[in-house]
Amino acid sequence: MRHEDCLFCKIIDGELPSAKVYEDDHVYAFMDISQVTEGHTLVIPKKHTINIYETDEETAKNFFGSVPKIANAIKKAFNPVGLNILNNNDILAGQTVYHLHFHLIPRYDENDGFDYKWTMNRDEYSQEEREDLAKRISQAIE
Ligand code: 5GP
Ligand code: ZN
């Protein structure tokens, strides 16, 4: 369950302080120390799992099942205009803590501290090419 050198396992066990939002048998939610926007919350499974690749289905269900109620609580408490939910896996994607976590980031305006950019390549792929891409993934599902 617990990983000895893991920052978030230590937070779950109360060995390191956190500002707790919610806890049950499977989930722990607390304020991100960086507060990218006000109310920025991390939701983590109590079972140590490095990232999404390592997470078994049962853990994922138990853990993600609590995300909507925490999202609704953020909405009620902070009255944001929007909410981004973000999960970074591996270095290039920005993962810095190797215990699965989802960021719940309430949004207030375009310059509120959270930013992301992605390109829309709708015209770069034909339907056939998209189906080939889909097949590569569906054939890899175990
Ligand atoms: P990642 O970059 O892995 O997606 O997100 C890790 C997050 O953990 C960052 O947003 C960072 O601010 C947060 N974080 C790192 N150390 C601590 C800590 O000791 N306490 C809390 N509450 N958050 C932390
Ligand atoms: Zn851990």
Side-chain angles (χ1 to χ4, degrees), residues 1 25 30 74 85 96 130 137:
M1 290 294 266
D25 287 348
F30 58 110
I74 291 171
I85 297 181
T96 59
R130 277 189 291 271
I137 300 172

Side-chain angles (χ1 to χ4, degrees), residues 21-30 41-46 57-75 83 85 102-104:
V21 168
Y22 175 78
E23 175 176 23
D24 65 24
D25 287 348
H26 303 289
V27 179
Y28 195 90
F30 58 110
T41 301
L42 295 175
V43 186
I44 65 178
K46 284 192 169 172
E57 200 168 326
E58 188 69 14
T59 301
K61 275 184 196 161
N62 289 336
F63 152 71
F64 204 77
S66 289
V67 170
K69 72 178 159 218
I70 296 166
N72 275 297
I74 291 171
K75 191 175 180 207
L83 177 79
I85 297 181
F102 276 58
H103 297 260
L104 274 58

Side-chain angles (χ1 to χ4, degrees), residues 36-51:
V36 167
T37 67
E38 193 165 85
H40 177 188
T41 301
L42 295 175
V43 186
I44 65 178
K46 284 192 169 172
K47 182 175 173 184
H48 178 87
T49 172
I50 289 173
N51 57 27

